[in-house]
Amino acid sequence: MERLHVIVLVILLIALAVTLVRLRSLLAIAILTGVYSLIMAVVYTLLDAVDVAFTEAVVGAGITLTLMLAAISLTTRRETKPGKRKGQRIVGAATAIVAGVALIYATTDMPGLGIQDAPIHRHVAPYYIETGPTETGVPNIVTASLASYRGFDTLGEVTVIFTAGISVMALLWRWGKDDR
Amino acid sequence: MSEHLIVRIVSKMLIPFILLFALYVQMHGDYGPGGGFQAGVIFATAFIIYAIVFGVKRTIRVLPLTVVTAMVSLGLILYAMVGFVSLAAGGTFLDYGALDSHDPVHGQHLGIIIIELGVGITVAGVLTAVFYTFAERWQK
């Protein structure tokens, strides 16, 4: 039953992606990208990855959409028509098809969905699951691994966010500066 | 400022609950889904909604530019300081168990709450700052 839900949602995602490619109104594209993220969040919930789903919903459907709308209101609402030259189109289509086929081919090597003895579940994960609740006292294993066992990674992640933030501010911040 | 009455009233009603939800996600990250990152994003969204509906000038009066820019680095400093404190307490870098000499589990819990707070402050600060940078150009 769950598998059926996921299949229906993935078909919906493909339909959305096709629509997004054909659209020219940036406003509609931004909003539909938010819808895409929301559906993706439902897929993650069905796959029992609640924390990922939460992040996807909050970041993809929430803040990205808002920042996109802010950017659109400063630039333009319509995308310019793509080049009419036939050569460009063929090169573009060929790149997309080759990349897509390569990615689909790569998925055949991936372990099946939810299989317990996949390599990623046999490395450090069993240790985190077994000792996490007693060693950290935190019932949510995702938080225990992210904040405690992988605390150094998370520190790096916050540094990345910090760097991205100050880069944007260094380039575009104009508060308190006179316009010349 | 938006002239749409319904948008104004509804956002006025919802913003306190959005902020409350952000704090819930922040403090409850160790029991349920969520944590500092998600909480920071929700927190920033509340202020961005306020800015879109009521104008950037009024938002800056509530959340001044200096506070936002300070938040960007404050969270990261808070996170790194936890690492150095645990280092000083005799553990390894970011080993929260060393924070409480009697009960390592308690120390772990304390460490996780503080670093999540650091993550939340930085994320909220960065997103609000990015929005403010955009919004400055609306003034003209």
Side-chain angles (χ1 to χ4, degrees):
Chain A
M1 198 59 202
E2 209 163 82
R3 179 154 288 212
L4 187 73
H5 288 160
V6 173
I7 289 170
V8 170
L9 287 170
V10 167
I11 290 171
L12 215 64
L13 285 177
I14 294 170
L16 251 178
V18 173
T19 319
L20 275 170
V21 173
R22 301 190 64 85
L23 274 175
R24 285 278 164 265
S25 159
L26 291 175
L27 199 66
I29 290 174
I31 292 165
L32 280 183
T33 317
V35 175
Y36 192 97
S37 285
L38 215 57
I39 297 174
M40 212 54 223
V42 178
V43 173
Y44 288 138
T45 314
L46 286 173
L47 297 176
D48 279 339
V50 200
D51 281 84
V52 184
F54 199 174
T55 315
E56 180 70 45
V58 159
V59 175
I63 201 84
T64 313
L65 178 56
T66 322
L67 290 179
M68 280 292 173
L69 293 180
I72 287 170
S73 75
L74 286 174
T75 52
T76 172
R77 278 192 175 202
R78 288 197 74 78
E79 194 183 355
T80 47
K81 278 255 164 75
K84 275 271 173 355
R85 296 235 315 270
K86 215 171 181 189
Q88 279 181 338
R89 288 189 166 194
I90 290 171
V91 171
T95 315
I97 289 168
V98 168
V101 169
L103 282 173
I104 290 170
Y105 176 68
T107 56
T108 55
D109 246 5
M110 271 171 62
L113 187 68
I115 284 180
Q116 281 180 348
D117 50 357
I120 195 154
H121 299 313
R122 307 194 63 163
H123 184 45
V124 283
Y127 175 79
Y128 293 166
I129 292 169
E130 271 162 38
T131 53
T134 48
E135 208 169 50
T136 63
V138 168
N140 184 357
I141 293 173
V142 177
T143 306
S145 351
L146 278 184
S148 187
Y149 294 114
R150 296 274 166 209
F152 205 73
D153 292 352
T154 311
L155 177 62
E157 231 169 79
V158 179
T159 315
V160 168
I161 296 169
F162 168 78
T163 318
I166 56 169
S167 307
V168 170
M169 285 160 75
L171 288 171
L172 301 170
W173 187 271
R174 286 204 310 204
W175 290 98
K177 287 181 190 162
D178 299 321
D179 271 345
R180 280 163 292 263
Chain B
M1 179 154 89
S2 165
E3 292 109 56
H4 303 287
L5 187 69
I6 295 173
V7 175
R8 261 208 341 261
I9 305 275
V10 170
S11 53
K12 215 176 221 174
M13 268 162 45
L14 279 181
I15 285 170
F17 291 103
I18 296 175
L19 287 171
L20 199 64
F21 183 61
L23 290 175
Y24 166 79
V25 173
Q26 174 78 57
M27 293 307 171
H28 223 254
D30 38 358
Y31 291 99
F37 186 79
Q38 290 90 333
V41 176
I42 298 171
F43 202 76
T45 312
F47 284 103
I48 291 173
I49 292 173
Y50 189 83
I52 288 173
V53 179
F54 298 100
V56 185
K57 284 241 166 68
R58 285 175 72 176
T59 320
I60 287 176
R61 240 184 287 158
V62 184
L63 194 69
L65 297 164
T66 44
V67 173
V68 173
T69 41
M71 273 164 72
V72 172
S73 41
L74 191 75
L76 188 61
I77 293 171
L78 192 67
Y79 196 141
M81 281 321 281
V82 174
F84 288 116
V85 168
S86 64
L87 207 59
T92 50
F93 189 68
L94 288 173
D95 173 18
Y96 316 130
L99 292 177
D100 192 324
S101 50
H102 306 292
D103 185 5
V105 174
H106 187 225
Q108 283 279 353
H109 216 139
L110 187 70
I112 288 174
I113 285 178
I114 296 174
I115 66 121
E116 290 275 13
L117 196 65
V119 176
I121 291 172
T122 290
V123 170
V126 164
L127 291 174
T128 324
V130 169
F131 180 77
Y132 274 174
T133 4
F134 277 123
E136 195 264 348
R137 282 147 204 257
W138 287 343
Q139 307 287 313
K140 289 139 209 138

